Amino acid sequence: QVQLVESGGGLVQPGGSLRLSCAASESIFNIYAMGWYRQAPGKQRELVAQIITSGDATIYADSVKGRFTISRDNAKNMVHLQMNSLKPEDTAVYYCRAMVLTGGAHVYWGQGTQVTVSS
């Protein structure tokens, strides 16, 4: 079982930046992919960005391309999401997700961190 702990959320003005971090309880080399999802009130949870931990392959939602960057820190078993040029529509609870393919596909979620973009 992989435990994930997010940090870095908060309140920021439009145009500002935040950096989210997700710490995994085990080596991310044992995790196939890690990603960030978000869920705004009244909306479904959606993929924001994902990275394949064995390489540099990344996926971004169209709405965040050019503004958000996902990265990994293998030594610290962490994944980060750098969010720049934030917009009010980026307001949501952001969740870290890990996918493990050992012994079948298993998905693990963090508890979420609130990001609010408002003036």
Side-chain angles (χ1 to χ4, degrees), residues 3-7 21-25 36 78-79 96 109-112:
Q3 295 181 336
L4 304 170
V5 178
E6 302 103 332
S7 60
S21 297
C22 175
S25 61
W36 288 94
M78 296 184 73
V79 171
C96 180
W109 293 93
Q111 81 286 353

Side-chain angles (χ1 to χ4, degrees), residues 4 22 33-37 50 95-99 107-110:
L4 304 170
C22 175
M34 293 189 71
W36 288 94
Y37 285 68
Q50 177 177 282
Y95 297 90
C96 180
R97 188 188 90 147
M99 177 183 288
V107 174
Y108 303 94
W109 293 93

Side-chain angles (χ1 to χ4, degrees), residues 9-31:
L11 172 65
V12 64
Q13 293 186 342
S17 298
L18 280 176
R19 186 188 192 218
L20 304 183
S21 297
C22 175
S25 61
E26 63 178 74
S27 172
I28 64 174
F29 287 116
N30 296 330
I31 300 171

Side-chain angles (χ1 to χ4, degrees), residues 12 23 38 41 43-45 53-54 58 73 97 104 106 114:
V12 64
R38 67 186 181 187
K43 295 187 177 181
Q44 290 187 329
R45 191 172 296 188
T53 58
S54 62
T58 56
D73 184 337
R97 188 188 90 147
H106 303 279
Q114 177 70 45

Side-chain angles (χ1 to χ4, degrees), residues 26-100:
E26 63 178 74
S27 172
I28 64 174
F29 287 116
N30 296 330
I31 300 171
Y32 171 71
M34 293 189 71
W36 288 94
Y37 285 68
R38 67 186 181 187
Q39 188 166 18
K43 295 187 177 181
Q44 290 187 329
R45 191 172 296 188
E46 62 176 0
L47 171 69
V48 177
Q50 177 177 282
I51 187 167
I52 305 301
T53 58
S54 62
D56 293 325
T58 56
I59 298 173
Y60 292 94
D62 288 343
S63 59
V64 307
K65 284 180 181 177
R67 300 189 297 123
F68 292 10
T69 302
I70 189 170
S71 62
R72 54 183 171 83
D73 184 337
N74 296 343
K76 297 182 178 179
N77 299 327
M78 296 184 73
V79 171
H80 306 287
L81 184 69
Q82 179 66 43
M83 304 186 295
N84 298 328
S85 302
L86 282 160
K87 304 175 181 180
E89 51 263 44
D90 294 318
T91 295
V93 178
Y94 283 69
Y95 297 90
C96 180
R97 188 188 90 147
M99 177 183 288
V100 176

